[in-house]
């Protein structure tokens, strides 16, 4: 933590984004050991990722947004509501425009394209890594404001939580690609590439907050809204597909993911 204290907030966001991407790459490396991924395990991993994102959206983003807006020119719920809905609207627009395939259904969404199925599968994961990177960037960028509700420990706990759920996410990209007879090396490269957007969006989020200080409550809620959109649109529905009456596995994953993120945020933040 002392090392991070000596780095400007935008630099801290870059380091955190590279960390979360690194765990995505580490998860993608599982393709060198496995060619198949059990459906129950995949559902549990998706549920875990959803739980982490739900908890992070409230404990690390929405709650601070409301608290720091108190005493401001507008009621404290305004930045939270406006930012939250704005984040969801942004992801909805991206969802309609960016060509991608949802892994569980195989349904193609976005603008029609002739791109390969493997590229579209990776784009689907990349799509929901954007709000994760933004959330990390906004958390670290908020440190530059000197706001009492934004702490280095809290930002680190958020990055740890996002990184933790990125590990199984990386495996959930690379292993299915291997099952489609793609080489192990190529499957790994595609899998880790899905996380490259996180350090980029982290820097963008941090820079926006640093240079436009008053938007911090809105930016926090925006990141939360974008993450909840991904959870509701993709993670939870896909974790419940093909469970043959065993949807409890995915539900338990959500509960465990939420508890782990809540524990880290309260204990460290």
């Amino acid at each position: 933590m002392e090392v991070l204290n000596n780095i400007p907030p935008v630099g801290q966001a870059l380091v955190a984004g590279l960390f979360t991407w690194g765990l995505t790459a580490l998860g993608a490396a599982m393709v060198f050991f496995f060619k198949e991924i059990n459906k129950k395990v995949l559902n549990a991993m998706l549920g875990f990722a959803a739980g982490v994102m739900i908890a992070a959206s409230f404990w690390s983003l929405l709650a601070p947004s409301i608290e720091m807006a108190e005493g401001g020119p507008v009621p404290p719920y305004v930045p939270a509501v406006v930012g939250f809905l704005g984040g969801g609207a942004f992801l909805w627009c991206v969802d309609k425009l960016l060509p991608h395939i949802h892994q569980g259904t195989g349904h193609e969404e976005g603008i029609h394209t002739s791109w390969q199925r493997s590229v579209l599968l990776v784009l689907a994961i990349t799509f929901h890594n954007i709000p994760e990177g933004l959330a990390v960037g906004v958390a670290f960028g908020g440190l530059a404001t000197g706001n009492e509700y934004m702490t280095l420990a809290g930002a680190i706990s958020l990055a740890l939580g996002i990184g933790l759920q990125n590990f199984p996410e990386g495996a959930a990209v690379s292993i299915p690609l291997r099952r489609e007879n793609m080489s192990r090396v190529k499957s790994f490269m595609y899998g880790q590439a899905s996380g490259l957007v996180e350090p980029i969006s982290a820097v963008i989020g941090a820079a926006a907050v640093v240079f436009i200080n008053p938007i911090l409550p809105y930016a926090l809620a925006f990141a939360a809204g974008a993450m909840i959109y991904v959870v509701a649109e993709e993670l939870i529905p896909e974790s419940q597909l093909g469970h043959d009456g065993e949807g409890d596995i995915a539900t338990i994953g959500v509960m465990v993911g939420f508890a782990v993120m809540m524990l880290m945020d309260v204990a460290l933040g």
Side-chain angles (χ1 to χ4, degrees):
M1 192 176 292
E2 286 298 324
V3 175
L4 283 176
N5 269 324
N6 299 320
I7 303 175
V10 175
Q12 292 174 343
L14 176 60
V15 171
L18 290 173
F19 167 75
T20 58
W21 163 72
L23 284 181
T24 302
L26 196 60
M30 293 298 101
V31 75
F32 293 110
F33 305 98
F34 306 100
K35 186 176 181 179
E36 297 284 338
I37 182 167
N38 186 279
K39 182 60 179 173
K40 294 179 184 178
V41 174
L42 178 60
N43 287 346
M45 292 193 308
L46 290 172
F48 179 84
V52 168
M53 291 176 72
I54 293 170
S57 295
F58 176 74
W59 294 100
S60 300
L61 301 169
L62 278 177
S65 170
I66 295 170
E67 289 170 343
M68 67 180 58
E70 291 179 353
V74 297
Y77 56 78
V78 170
V81 172
V82 171
F84 185 82
L85 294 178
F90 170 74
L91 261 290
W92 181 83
C93 291
V94 174
D95 191 33
K96 298 304 176 186
L97 295 174
L98 181 70
H100 62 284
I101 289 179
H102 288 290
Q103 207 171 81
T105 61
H107 177 62
E108 184 175 339
E109 295 185 6
I111 297 174
H112 180 71
T113 178
S114 59
W115 293 349
Q116 293 181 352
R117 173 182 167 84
S118 57
V119 174
L120 296 178
L121 284 170
V122 173
L123 282 176
I125 303 297
T126 304
F127 159 70
H128 74 66
N129 279 340
I130 294 174
E132 295 174 13
L134 283 175
V136 170
V138 169
F140 279 96
L143 301 177
T145 67
N147 192 289
E148 62 179 310
Y149 297 109
M150 304 304 296
T151 65
L152 180 59
I156 290 174
S157 70
L158 176 61
L160 285 173
I162 296 297
L164 189 62
Q165 61 96 29
N166 275 358
F167 178 83
E169 199 170 78
V173 178
S174 63
I175 293 176
L177 291 177
R178 174 60 179 160
R179 192 172 59 241
E180 294 189 7
N181 296 319
M182 185 177 286
S183 71
R184 293 185 189 274
V185 172
K186 197 171 182 179
S187 297
F188 166 74
M189 294 304 294
Y190 273 89
Q192 62 83 30
S194 68
L196 279 174
V197 70
E198 291 199 15
I200 298 171
S201 53
V203 168
I204 292 172
V209 170
V210 168
F211 292 111
I212 315 175
N213 201 325
I215 72 168
L216 180 56
Y218 294 90
L220 289 167
F222 182 94
M227 294 217 303
I228 291 297
Y229 181 93
V230 168
V231 170
E233 161 75 9
E234 183 173 345
L235 293 181
I236 289 180
E238 290 196 10
S239 71
Q240 296 290 335
L241 287 175
H243 55 68
D244 295 326
E246 297 177 353
D248 287 350
I249 293 174
T251 303
I252 291 170
V254 173
M255 298 294 291
V256 172
F258 187 98
V260 168
M261 185 65 228
M262 179 174 61
L263 174 65
M264 288 198 303
D265 192 86
V266 175
L268 299 178

